[in-house]
Amino acid sequence: LLKVLSHIDSILRSPRAPPLIFQSSKGPVQNCIKENGQGCGFEHLPLTIEMWADQLTALKDLHRSLRKLSLELLPGNTKDPQDNRESLRVEDLQLIVDAILEELEHKEKNSQTQSLQTLSAIVSHFQKLFDVNSLSGVYPRMNEVYTKLGEMTNAMRNLQELLELDSSAPPTVVVDTVGKLCDIINKNVTEQVQQLLGTQDIHSIINKLEEHDCFFPPFQALIQDLLCLLEINNVDDILPAVQNLK
């Protein structure tokens, strides 16, 4: 037993022992007295062995937690060569961690590649939609489209208010309403022209205009001659001037 304890003690004090374990073994020791009067110096070993046992139990718990994490991140990797083994090593846990890190790096690279492909597709689609030949022309065209969109939005909002339409009315409703309003205005103008000319059909309107073209030029020439003969400037003065000549 003493030989075993000496071997354990030498392991604890070797350079390969973890620093914390080595430090914990340096506490005050109450030497037990052997028959020859020499102290054994192994009183620290039970505490150290208990700590080792706790660490081995924690190692198993850590392994279970890493296995759960591995199954979440690596669904296809269900095989674990350590499942049926009693003992666990730090190397076993390190393998799981390395596999998880490798998968995360692979996913990150794939995500970056997909993001670049998506951005490239978006830019190409924008160039096709708005007839942009070069990448340097994308930003100016974006600004132009944004400005035009703002102008159209403001114009549509103003039309909705003028036509007393709801703000949620789609552009098709606005266009239809403007079209109906134009029809009403055109109809009223036609009726007013018909009333002014005293006719109700287009042929009569044409005849009236032709009569005007025949009558007005000679009438205008006559008025100009009268103004010159009477030496006056206003048409309203023609009648008084003629009356004075009587």
Side-chain angles (χ1 to χ4, degrees):
L1 178 60
L2 183 61
K3 184 178 180 181
V4 173
L5 294 176
S6 298
H7 183 62
I8 295 174
D9 187 67
S10 63
I11 291 175
L12 291 177
R13 297 178 183 277
S14 69
R16 296 179 57 190
L20 292 177
I21 294 177
F22 181 71
Q23 291 174 5
S24 65
S25 65
K26 291 183 178 181
V29 177
Q30 296 180 356
N31 294 334
C32 60
I33 304 300
K34 296 184 179 180
E35 293 180 357
N36 57 6
Q38 296 179 353
C40 61
F42 300 131
E43 290 79 5
H44 62 284
L45 293 182
L47 295 177
T48 303
I49 294 174
E50 287 180 4
M51 182 183 66
W52 279 1
D54 292 339
Q55 292 298 314
L56 289 175
T57 302
L59 195 65
K60 293 181 179 180
D61 295 336
L62 179 60
H63 178 261
R64 283 193 294 269
S65 299
L66 287 176
R67 281 294 299 153
K68 291 180 180 179
L69 180 61
S70 176
L71 292 176
E72 289 290 335
L73 299 177
L74 311 172
N77 185 17
T78 58
K79 182 180 179 181
D80 185 359
Q82 305 301 328
D83 284 343
N84 298 324
R85 289 179 54 172
E86 290 291 335
S87 61
L88 288 173
R89 298 176 303 172
V90 175
E91 290 84 349
D92 301 330
L93 306 183
Q94 187 65 46
L95 288 175
I96 298 177
V97 173
D98 291 341
I100 293 174
L101 291 176
E102 184 179 356
E103 180 65 18
L104 291 178
E105 292 176 357
H106 181 68
K107 287 183 178 180
E108 183 178 358
K109 291 181 180 178
N110 289 341
S111 176
Q112 293 176 353
T113 303
Q114 292 176 358
S115 298
L116 291 175
Q117 292 175 349
T118 302
L119 290 176
S120 177
I122 292 173
V123 172
S124 299
H125 188 60
F126 181 88
Q127 288 181 279
K128 291 179 181 179
L129 286 178
F130 298 100
D131 193 23
V132 182
N133 297 325
S134 63
L135 290 176
S136 59
V138 170
Y139 280 110
R141 186 56 59 86
M142 282 184 175
N143 294 333
E144 181 182 351
V145 170
Y146 178 79
T147 302
K148 294 295 183 182
L149 179 61
E151 293 176 353
M152 293 179 62
T153 302
N154 291 333
M156 188 63 62
R157 186 182 299 111
N158 292 334
L159 285 174
Q160 289 170 343
E161 293 178 356
L162 290 174
L163 299 173
E164 297 182 354
L165 296 174
D166 188 80
S167 59
S168 61
T172 53
V173 174
V174 176
V175 173
D176 291 341
T177 305
V178 172
K180 292 177 181 179
L181 183 61
C182 291
D183 292 339
I184 293 172
I185 294 174
N186 291 333
K187 184 178 179 181
N188 291 336
V189 170
T190 302
E191 292 177 352
Q192 291 174 5
V193 171
Q194 290 175 349
Q195 293 176 1
L196 179 64
L197 298 178
T199 181
Q200 298 296 324
D201 58 89
I202 189 64
H203 295 292
S204 300
I205 295 175
I206 295 174
N207 293 333
K208 292 286 186 181
L209 293 175
E210 290 176 350
E211 292 176 359
H212 177 273
D213 290 339
C214 295
F215 169 78
F216 186 75
F219 179 76
Q220 185 180 19
L222 175 62
I223 296 299
Q224 291 295 333
D225 292 340
L226 287 174
L227 292 175
C228 291
L229 290 174
L230 299 174
E231 297 180 352
I232 57 178
N233 297 322
N234 296 323
V235 177
D236 295 337
D237 296 334
I238 293 176
L239 185 58
V242 172
Q243 291 176 347
N244 291 332
L245 293 175
K246 290 182 179 181

